[in-house]
Amino acid sequence: MKTFLNILKYGLLLSISGALMWYAMRGLKWDAIGHAIRTANYAWLALTLGLSVLGYFSRAYRWRMQLEASQTPAPFWAVYHAMMVGNLANIVLPRMGEVIRCSVLRRTSGVPVQVAIGTVVTERVIDVLVLLGLLSSVLLLDFTTFWGFVTQNVLGGRYDALARNRTPLLVAALIAVLLLVVAGVALFRNLERLRQNAFFNKGVVFVKGLLAGVFSVLKLKKKGLFLLHTLFTWSVYYLMDYLAFFCFPETYGLDMKAGLAVLTFGAFGMAAPVAGGIGPFHVMVQGILLVYGISKEAGIAYALVVHGAQTLLVVAMGAISFVAVAAADKGTVAAEAEALAHEPLTTEL
């Protein structure tokens, strides 16, 4: 039964990816998309891939620092290979890559899976905080651009009516506040009953884990170096998206604020629980580029090239790391794949 549910879950996620890709490409001129991809300047793309490699090394080193703070040190290359195998797995099995990388690290360095997962949770919390900061920066730096797009393309002619008569907005805000108050009162009155609910308890444990993960960073011996690697990793992500603008004539003139917007919303797309971010990433990036006046054809071409190149890079680096793990474990690639397939991956993040 569990196997059937897993198949159903991954089938549903694959369907969502397909539906979003159809939505992003429906009604577009395929010849224009093909022309944009064929005539792109791939020298800039090669530069972004080189930066990506440095970003993966930095992220692995940061994870190694977290493991040292948890009193479970591991060699850098063991940490790096485990991370890349996990990234490779995420392309096929969404959300399972993080657990798989912790399992690989246990096999190669003896780091307990639960300890490794705790550090991964911390990593995710930090990334979420960075993303929220980026989102705030994007909206503050380019509020006029986004608001102009919303008023013209989303609200349309209704904007002038709403500006003259704000009563509907005030009523909607009042209803929202009342609903929040009612929900808060209901939660407080039924708190004891909720504590007996398994889902509620899981949520509480999850929140406590997030808080513990945040505060665990304080135990690091080299907090400045950890912060430096975090900033470097996200700077690499930014440059990957910004420099890719120069691959295409339509995006060549976009400024650095547009690059920040693509990074932020593209990251939200990659965080969606689908294989490799396929679908959500393309929709988000195409939509953001549309805000900056880029056609849908050029926007989807940009998303396809950037996402495709990064995916191929992860496949290549992940495959190399997988072979390295198999060699370190003194087994064949097939034997290592079979061993990982039988790991007790029951822990979810």
Side-chain angles (χ1 to χ4, degrees):
M1 183 64 179
K2 186 176 181 180
T3 302
F4 172 75
L5 290 177
N6 283 332
I7 293 174
L8 185 64
K9 178 178 71 173
Y10 290 123
L12 178 61
L13 293 176
L14 184 61
S15 299
I16 292 174
S17 289
L20 289 174
M21 286 299 297
W22 171 83
Y23 174 78
M25 302 187 73
R26 66 189 178 97
L28 301 186
K29 299 176 181 177
W30 288 78
D31 56 339
I33 298 173
H35 177 75
I37 294 175
R38 288 192 304 272
T39 59
N41 185 348
Y42 287 100
W44 288 101
L45 191 66
L47 179 59
T48 67
L49 294 180
L51 288 171
S52 297
V53 173
L54 296 178
Y56 286 126
F57 286 155
S58 179
R59 199 171 185 94
Y61 190 86
R62 189 182 73 166
W63 188 25
R64 182 171 178 265
M65 293 180 67
Q66 293 177 263
L67 292 168
E68 288 180 347
S70 301
Q71 306 302 316
T72 53
F76 170 79
W77 287 111
V79 173
Y80 165 78
H81 289 317
M83 184 188 75
M84 292 311 303
V85 170
N87 290 342
L88 178 62
N90 268 332
I91 297 177
V92 182
L93 301 172
R95 299 185 60 186
M96 287 305 297
E98 310 298 355
V99 183
I100 288 176
R101 69 159 156 162
C102 296
S103 179
V104 170
L105 195 61
R106 182 190 67 79
R107 290 175 58 82
T108 57
S109 302
V111 177
V113 172
Q114 293 298 330
V115 174
I117 286 178
T119 60
V120 171
V121 170
T122 304
E123 186 181 82
R124 283 190 172 184
V125 172
I126 293 170
D127 288 341
V128 167
L129 294 176
V130 172
L131 261 181
L132 292 176
L134 289 175
L135 180 61
S136 302
S137 300
V138 167
L139 295 178
L140 287 173
L141 291 173
D142 238 357
F143 178 80
T144 303
T145 300
F146 281 93
W147 183 243
F149 180 83
V150 170
T151 55
Q152 182 177 353
N153 297 278
V154 180
L155 296 178
R158 295 187 295 273
Y159 175 69
D160 292 334
L162 288 173
R164 290 191 299 268
N165 182 14
R166 299 183 180 180
T167 302
L169 294 176
L170 294 175
V171 171
L174 180 61
I175 292 174
V177 171
L178 288 175
L179 288 175
L180 287 174
V181 171
V182 170
V185 172
L187 179 63
F188 179 77
R189 289 185 175 180
N190 295 277
L191 190 58
E192 290 300 326
R193 186 182 300 176
L194 286 172
R195 285 173 178 169
Q196 300 175 8
N197 184 279
F199 290 103
F200 179 79
N201 289 329
K202 284 184 178 181
V204 171
V205 171
F206 179 73
V207 172
K208 288 182 177 179
L210 293 182
L211 294 175
V214 173
F215 288 112
S216 70
V217 178
L218 300 177
K219 300 178 183 178
L220 291 171
K221 294 180 180 179
K222 300 178 180 178
K223 301 180 183 65
L225 185 60
F226 181 86
L227 178 61
L228 181 63
H229 275 284
T230 300
L231 293 175
F232 178 78
T233 300
W234 279 94
S235 297
V236 166
Y237 293 160
Y238 170 73
L239 288 174
M240 284 161 46
D241 289 331
Y242 175 68
L243 293 178
F245 285 163
F246 299 108
C247 293
F248 304 93
E250 279 206 49
T251 57
Y252 193 92
L254 292 178
D255 59 17
M256 300 185 76
K257 290 186 292 184
L260 191 63
V262 169
L263 164 67
T264 304
F265 288 93
F268 278 111
M270 290 299 295
V274 296
I278 299 173
F281 174 84
H282 299 80
V283 170
M284 295 293 278
V285 170
Q286 182 191 46
I288 287 300
L289 290 177
L290 191 63
V291 172
Y292 287 91
I294 305 302
S295 68
K296 289 185 176 182
E297 286 81 3
I300 196 62
Y302 172 92
L304 287 170
V305 168
V306 171
H307 185 274
Q310 290 298 321
T311 300
L312 290 175
L313 180 65
V314 170
V315 170
M317 295 177 69
I320 293 172
S321 291
F322 189 82
V323 172
V325 169
D329 205 24
K330 297 181 180 180
T332 64
V333 174
E336 188 64 27
E338 183 178 359
L340 285 176
H342 288 88
E343 285 285 345
L345 304 177
T346 55
T347 304
E348 291 190 5
L349 299 178

